[in-house]
Amino acid sequence: MAESTGPRGPYRKGLQRRREIVAAAAELFAESGYAHSSMRELARRMRLTQTGLLHHFADKEELLVEVLNLRDSSVADYLSEQHATDVATRSREVARHSAEHEGLTSLYIILSAEAIDRDHPAHPYFVEHYQAAQTLTLDPGPETPEGAPMGISPEMIATLGTALQDGLQIQRRYRDDLDVVEAVDAFWRLVAAARAHWVQQSASEDSDVRDGDSD
């Protein structure tokens, strides 16, 4: 007996139609922003009546959630395929994904700017997004005897790494010559070099202290 490979019939068609609507909504939000996009325009693009569109999604906020999930799933699937483990490699691959999926990245940039308003329906999503990014970008680095180099904590480095990713994607909209992957790599090389220098300096200072005590 042949095994079932997934939903069939009307249910499968319904899922496919939902995916198509979400993809069209992502394009619309990327073009016009969430606030200036309408269900009427989306229905027109999908060649549906508004009633037909509302059969699949109750309102624009429900669509917004699905659009944001689409972006997150795309990044997560890409990272799982790359088998990226360390923070520097994950950051590089996120930058590469963003450069290769300009529509989703434009969507992210526009919605993140709109959602600064606490009343925006995507505001809670971006609060959680940046909290998660802080965790995923956190790289404690090698253990050192006296805490963070120059008082720069791993948490601050993670914050700067996330800010770098977002800032580079905005700059890229104005600079065709910008290689975001190279820039991200450069940031993490600087972090590694600074850590190595600080560890070496700390070891040298400890040696001087021990030599002084022995005099």
Side-chain angles (χ1 to χ4, degrees):
M1 180 182 295
E3 293 183 2
S4 174
T5 58
R8 297 182 177 181
Y11 180 64
R12 181 176 182 178
K13 290 180 180 179
L15 286 177
Q16 180 59 32
R17 194 58 165 161
R18 281 177 62 90
R19 294 190 189 101
E20 291 170 355
I21 293 171
V22 171
E27 291 182 3
L28 179 59
F29 293 168
E31 292 171 11
S32 305
Y34 173 81
H36 295 97
S37 298
S38 68
M39 295 291 273
R40 179 182 294 107
E41 172 60 18
L42 181 59
R44 186 191 68 78
R45 294 187 179 199
M46 293 301 302
R47 297 182 180 178
L48 290 170
T49 64
Q50 281 191 262
T51 301
L53 180 59
L54 293 174
H55 172 74
H56 295 281
F57 294 95
D59 53 34
K60 195 167 69 165
E61 287 191 23
E62 183 183 353
L63 259 172
L64 176 62
V65 170
E66 292 300 319
V67 165
L68 292 171
N69 288 338
L70 172 67
R71 191 262 177 185
D72 286 349
S73 296
S74 179
V75 174
D77 291 346
Y78 183 83
L79 287 178
S80 66
E81 292 173 0
Q82 306 307 313
H83 305 292
T85 54
D86 62 285
V87 171
T89 302
R90 286 201 304 271
S91 296
R92 179 195 310 125
E93 295 307 326
V94 169
R96 193 186 309 281
H97 176 277
S98 297
E100 293 176 354
H101 296 77
E102 292 193 349
L104 286 176
T105 304
S106 294
L107 169 74
Y108 170 85
I109 292 170
I110 290 170
L111 290 181
S112 64
E114 278 191 347
I116 290 173
D117 183 349
R118 291 180 180 273
D119 293 330
H120 193 284
H123 186 83
Y125 164 86
F126 281 101
V127 170
E128 294 181 8
H129 170 81
Y130 280 111
Q131 290 172 346
Q134 180 74 0
T135 301
L136 291 172
T137 313
L138 189 64
D139 179 15
E143 291 187 5
T144 51
E146 298 180 20
M150 298 177 291
I152 303 175
S153 67
E155 289 76 16
M156 180 55 69
I157 293 173
T159 297
L160 294 173
T162 301
L164 176 77
Q165 288 275 11
D166 287 2
L168 286 171
Q169 295 306 329
I170 293 173
Q171 278 197 55
R172 189 169 177 273
R173 268 57 193 167
Y174 301 98
R175 287 185 53 193
D176 293 336
D177 64 319
L178 178 60
D179 186 331
V180 294
V181 176
E182 181 182 3
V184 168
D185 276 344
F187 171 78
W188 288 107
R189 286 199 301 271
L190 286 170
V191 170
R195 281 174 170 157
H197 173 74
W198 184 77
V199 169
Q200 183 179 20
Q201 185 179 48
S202 296
S204 177
E205 291 173 354
D206 288 344
S207 177
D208 290 343
V209 170
R210 287 194 297 271
D211 290 345
D213 291 341
S214 63
D215 290 342

